[in-house]
């Protein structure tokens, strides 16, 4: 099975918000969720999660966004 069948694009950020992808990935990792980052061109970072973990990623991302939207 190819990696693109197991992984789904979860969030994409560019420019000054691209570092948000790194922080979200670290948050996922600290909560036991595997993810990977790919680069799109020079400016975009895309965070991928396993397709089976997409619902859990949505829950964690909502908690992350709530904590970091101060």
């Amino acid at each position: 099975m190819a990696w693109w069948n197991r992984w789904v694009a979860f969030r994409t950020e560019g420019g000054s918000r691209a570092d948000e992808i790194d922080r979200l990935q670290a948050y996922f990792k600290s909560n036991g969720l595997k993810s990977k980052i790919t680069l799109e061109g020079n400016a975009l970072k895309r965070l991928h999660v396993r397709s089976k973990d997409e619902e859990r990623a949505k829950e964690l991302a909502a908690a992350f966004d709530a904590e970091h939207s101060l």
Side-chain angles (χ1 to χ4, degrees):
M1 180 179 272
W3 76 270
W4 57 85
N5 290 330
R6 293 183 303 219
W7 298 87
V8 294
F10 184 75
R11 185 177 287 183
T12 303
E13 297 287 355
S16 63
R17 292 188 44 90
D19 63 330
E20 194 77 8
I21 293 293
D22 296 321
R23 289 196 297 269
L24 182 56
Q25 183 184 38
Y27 187 79
F28 282 177
K29 184 176 182 178
S30 71
N31 283 280
L33 188 71
K34 292 189 179 215
S35 61
K36 64 171 66 177
I37 294 176
T38 59
L39 301 175
E40 291 273 328
N42 290 334
L44 294 178
K45 282 187 176 181
R46 182 166 288 152
L47 182 65
H48 301 264
V49 297
R50 291 181 186 169
S51 55
K52 66 178 183 162
D53 295 331
E54 191 171 9
E55 285 303 314
R56 175 84 172 121
K58 287 178 184 178
E59 294 169 5
L60 288 173
F64 175 84
D65 290 341
E67 288 178 19
H68 294 90
S69 66
L70 302 174

